[in-house]
Structure formats: structure tokens, C-alpha cells
Amino acid sequence: MKKKRKARRNRIEKILGALFSYLLAIFSTVIFALYCSGRVGWFLLMVVLGAPLLSFVWTFIAYNFVTAGLYTQNRLVEKGKWEEFRLYLRNRGFLPVPEISVYLKNDGRVAIARKIISLSFVMRGEIVEDSKFFTMFAGLSEVEIEKVVVSDFFGVLNLKLKKDVLESIAVAKDATEGFDEDSVSLSRKLEIGILPTLKELEHEDEWLLSARSAAFDGEEPEDTINDSSATFGGFPGYDHRDYVPGDPIKRINYKLSARVGRLQVRLDETQAVAGISMYLSDALRTDMSEGEPYIKNCSQCLDEFIAIARHLYILDFAVTVYLPNDYGFELTNDSSIEELREKLAFQKFEPTDFVDESTLKSASGSLIALMPYSVNPVIEMLKKYSYLEGNSVSVYVSSIEKGRRL
């Protein structure tokens, strides 16, 4: 409300200032006309008196030939970085445009250096304005042109461009200097993927240990026998000894270690692999509105998701990731970790009452579910999953920093 009153007051002050300048111009012209010949003096006076109408007509004609768009070379960026983007304005008409003001907005994941870019007396052709944004939180961010306003010379008439003229603008090669492209495709909105931070997992909470333990429930090789060298039914046993610093982490037999109370390492070359699934929920409660606390928490959820996925992969678990609209993504090598990170960079969280239950259709066994906030439809879906034989679910809700089993 205060912003609206301030904007209205500024507009009134601008109009009064323009009116004062106009009346002063008329007074000066009358004085000048008295010292000129009648024909020349009164002609000048008529031109000044008709200036507002001429300005309005000029602005209206020029307004119909203005287009605008945004472009950035990097649409996948690291968190905590300044990145450049470009604003392109094109005047296709023969008249110069008095004044153009471009209003930019963002969704809170980035901070824009200049939210209003104003240019005066734009001639025929293209104008390129460079600006920057700072990436603050992971996930899909949007920077867009909220509106483009063309004003007359007096600042009284303001014409707003329609959104359909802001998109699909072709730009000449000389306007893309520094971006190494012959031409670029512009749009009113830039979608920017901000990568979650790839950090080491400092410690394993009880809920994560529980999820890992559940992943070994079944007929995996390391669960076949407990002693060091016995054989049974023709199947060889596996040699074990106590863990010492320097032993490969991938050889730790976690289930046997839990039984004997100390870490046990397998001595054979074969490594047991246990399967574990991870699920990311993009659902927020419908009563939530966009704001920094929600955005910050969603970003934290993405950071935690990639950290846990990488940690399990390093421990030699067969990790399968289930993301919204991207079912059954497997982590098979180091590059797949980075691929998952890029997928998470374009992840968006939205309030919803609907949860796609088919996402986990192919999943089974131990499942780790991460979500920024507890949402009832998601919890109910996970409960249905846990009711199936052989399945277990560990839920981690970032907003309360607490894991639990269903």
C-alpha cells in the first residue's frame, strides 16, 4: 500500500514538474515572439502550444515499433556467483523513441543489479544493455521483463508494450559481440538453473543409518554367512577382519558390522552391492506463498539431496533417483552425479494438492524421501509404498531437520 502511494506521489510530482516546465517554455516563447517579426514569432508560439499534442502523436507512433528481449549465455550457473545477461531493445520505426523504461522482476533466487533500465531518445536500430544478477539459492530461477513503458518527452503519456511483442526477436551478429554466436533467440523470460552445492556429508544421522540397514534386508552376497572361511552347500564363504584406517570403504560389510559391534571388512575382491532409492518431492502446501524463507529451505533440500545421493554412491550402493517427471535415474559413475546435480538445478517447487503416485511405480525396497516441507498427499503416498511387502521408507523433511521411518 505504501509503495502504491509513493508511486502515485512520484507521478504527480513528475506531471507538475512537466507542467511547470511547459508553462515556463510558453512564457519564454511569448517574450521571444515580441522581439521577432509577427510571422516568425507567432509561428514559434503555435509550435510550442502544439508541442504536447505533437509529443503524444510522436510517442504513439514510435511505441508501435519497439520490441525487447533478454538473453544470457549461461543458463546453468553455480550458486553464489555474479552472472551477466543482456537486454536488447529494437526500434524498427523511423522516429526516435523519447524514453523507454524496462522493468525487470525475479523470483527471489537471484538478485538483479538493476531492476529498472531507462534509456532516452532511442534511435532506429538496436541497443544492447548489459546487466548482472547474483545467484543466491539453488533451483529453477526466473528473470523476466515485467513491463516495458514508452513515455513521451513530457513524461505524462506512458504506453505499456504488450507481452506478445517482447518475444521471439532475432538479433544481429554485431549485437552479440562477446557471446560467440552469430545470432541469438530472445525471450521475455530467462529460466536459469542454479546448481546445488556439492558438499561432503559430515555425519550420518540415525535415520540415514536406518535406511542403509534396510537396504541390506534380502539375499545380498554379504549376508550369506557370518564366519570367516566356512562353506555351505557348495557356496564359498567370505573372509572378514576388523576395519583399519586405509581400508577401502566399499569393502565394509555394514550388516555384519552391526551384528558384531565393530566395523568388518571383506577380504575378497568381490564387492556386495545393495540397492537403495531416493525420492524428491516438489510439493509445497497450498497455503504457502513465495518468499525467501520458502526459497531458502527448498534450496537447502536440494543441497542435502545431492549430498546424500553422492554419499551413498561412494559407499557403493546402487542408487536410483526418482525426481518429479523424471523416473528411475540411476547413479552409475561420477558423471551421473554431475548429471543429477544439473537436473536438480532446474527443479521447481510449487504449492499443490496433487501428487503423481506413478513416480515410484518401479521402485522397491529401501527408499529415502526428501522434501522441503511435510505435505499430506506426499506422506500418504509414501505410506502406501511402505505398506508393500519388502519396502521401507525413511523421510527427511528439511524444514524441521529431522528424519523418521514410516
Side-chain angles (χ1 to χ4, degrees):
M1 199 67 180
K2 290 183 179 179
K3 288 185 178 180
K4 288 185 178 180
R5 285 200 296 266
K6 185 177 180 181
R8 191 182 300 114
R9 185 169 61 251
N10 291 339
R11 179 167 174 77
I12 292 173
E13 291 176 355
K14 188 176 182 180
I15 293 174
L16 291 176
L19 180 61
F20 175 78
S21 300
Y22 176 58
L23 293 176
L24 183 62
I26 291 177
F27 177 76
S28 302
T29 305
V30 170
I31 298 299
F32 182 75
L34 294 175
Y35 287 92
C36 296
S37 63
R39 182 176 297 179
V40 174
W42 291 110
F43 174 77
L44 291 174
L45 182 59
M46 293 302 294
V47 169
V48 173
L49 290 175
L53 179 61
L54 179 62
S55 176
F56 291 169
V57 173
W58 186 334
T59 303
F60 184 78
I61 294 174
Y63 151 83
N64 289 282
F65 294 95
V66 173
T67 53
L70 298 174
Y71 175 77
T72 181
Q73 190 176 27
N74 301 318
R75 300 207 178 210
L76 184 66
V77 297
E78 295 282 351
K79 189 166 55 173
K81 301 287 186 180
W82 281 100
E83 290 290 337
E84 285 191 348
F85 72 96
R86 283 183 171 177
L87 166 68
Y88 290 89
L89 289 171
R90 173 182 288 175
N91 177 16
R92 296 176 288 107
F94 59 94
L95 292 175
V97 182
E99 182 179 351
I100 299 178
S101 296
V102 182
Y103 295 78
L104 303 174
K105 71 174 185 177
N106 60 289
D107 62 358
R109 288 178 175 81
V110 300
I112 306 174
R114 291 192 293 166
K115 285 196 170 184
I116 302 176
I117 299 176
S118 297
L119 298 168
S120 299
F121 214 70
V122 179
M123 304 296 290
R124 178 181 175 86
E126 295 170 350
I127 289 183
V128 181
E129 280 289 311
D130 289 333
S131 189
K132 291 183 177 182
F133 60 83
F134 183 76
T135 58
M136 298 185 293
F137 301 111
L140 179 63
S141 179
E142 295 176 348
V143 175
E144 64 177 307
I145 299 176
E146 183 178 16
K147 60 181 177 179
V148 177
V149 178
V150 178
S151 304
D152 70 306
F153 290 102
F154 290 87
V156 177
L157 180 66
N158 297 308
L159 300 173
K160 188 166 68 173
L161 264 66
K162 296 179 180 178
K163 289 185 177 181
D164 59 350
V165 304
L166 300 176
E167 301 178 351
S168 303
I169 309 165
V171 179
K173 182 177 180 179
D174 57 353
T176 64
E177 183 180 354
F179 278 163
D180 299 325
E181 296 193 21
D182 293 338
S183 64
V184 295
S185 177
L186 304 183
S187 64
R188 181 175 61 89
K189 180 188 297 184
L190 294 177
E191 291 190 341
I192 302 159
I194 304 176
L195 292 161
T197 305
L198 191 58
K199 298 186 296 186
E200 297 284 346
L201 200 64
E202 295 180 0
H203 66 277
E204 291 184 292
D205 293 327
E206 184 179 345
W207 70 270
L208 182 54
L209 293 171
S210 177
R212 289 210 288 107
S213 176
F216 283 110
D217 290 340
E219 297 296 330
E220 74 289 336
E222 70 172 25
D223 194 36
T224 303
I225 198 162
N226 291 342
D227 58 57
S228 61
S229 60
T231 61
F232 181 76
F235 293 96
Y238 298 106
D239 291 332
H240 294 83
R241 63 167 169 78
D242 288 348
Y243 171 83
V244 295
D247 287 336
I249 295 177
K250 293 183 178 182
R251 298 253 177 91
I252 296 177
N253 185 331
Y254 288 97
K255 192 165 186 179
L256 180 59
S257 300
R259 288 175 181 170
V260 301
R262 58 185 185 276
L263 290 177
Q264 296 292 300
V265 179
R266 288 177 50 169
L267 300 179
D268 62 292
E269 292 298 324
T270 306
Q271 299 173 11
V273 176
I276 194 166
S277 300
M278 292 187 65
Y279 167 71
L280 176 68
S281 170
D282 63 345
L284 299 177
R285 294 195 304 270
T286 53
D287 62 341
M288 290 181 174
S289 59
E290 281 290 322
E292 184 170 327
Y294 301 107
I295 292 173
K296 183 177 181 180
N297 198 65
C298 292
S299 175
Q300 177 182 318
C301 182
L302 296 177
D303 289 341
E304 291 163 345
F305 193 92
I306 188 66
I308 294 171
R310 181 173 180 269
H311 179 74
L312 294 173
Y313 168 76
I314 291 175
L315 294 179
D316 205 35
F317 282 85
V319 183
T320 304
V321 175
Y322 295 88
L323 303 177
N325 303 316
D326 190 356
Y327 311 143
F329 177 73
E330 296 182 359
L331 303 184
T332 57
N333 49 43
D334 292 341
S335 63
S336 63
I337 297 290
E338 190 61 31
E339 186 178 347
L340 171 61
R341 189 166 171 244
E342 292 179 6
K343 289 177 180 288
L344 295 176
F346 289 97
Q347 183 62 53
K348 188 172 184 178
F349 297 86
E350 294 182 314
T352 182
D353 284 325
F354 172 76
V355 177
D356 184 7
E357 296 190 8
S358 65
T359 303
L360 297 177
K361 188 176 181 180
S362 60
S364 62
S366 180
L367 175 72
I368 297 175
L370 271 75
M371 58 191 75
Y373 293 91
S374 181
V375 180
N376 286 335
V378 179
I379 298 299
E380 292 302 317
M381 180 191 71
L382 295 174
K383 283 182 178 178
K384 291 180 183 178
Y385 177 89
S386 66
Y387 293 154
L388 299 177
E389 184 178 357
N391 289 351
S392 65
V393 181
S394 297
V395 179
Y396 183 86
V397 183
S398 298
S399 57
I400 57 178
E401 299 183 356
K402 179 180 176 183
R404 61 189 175 92
R405 285 286 294 273
L406 289 179

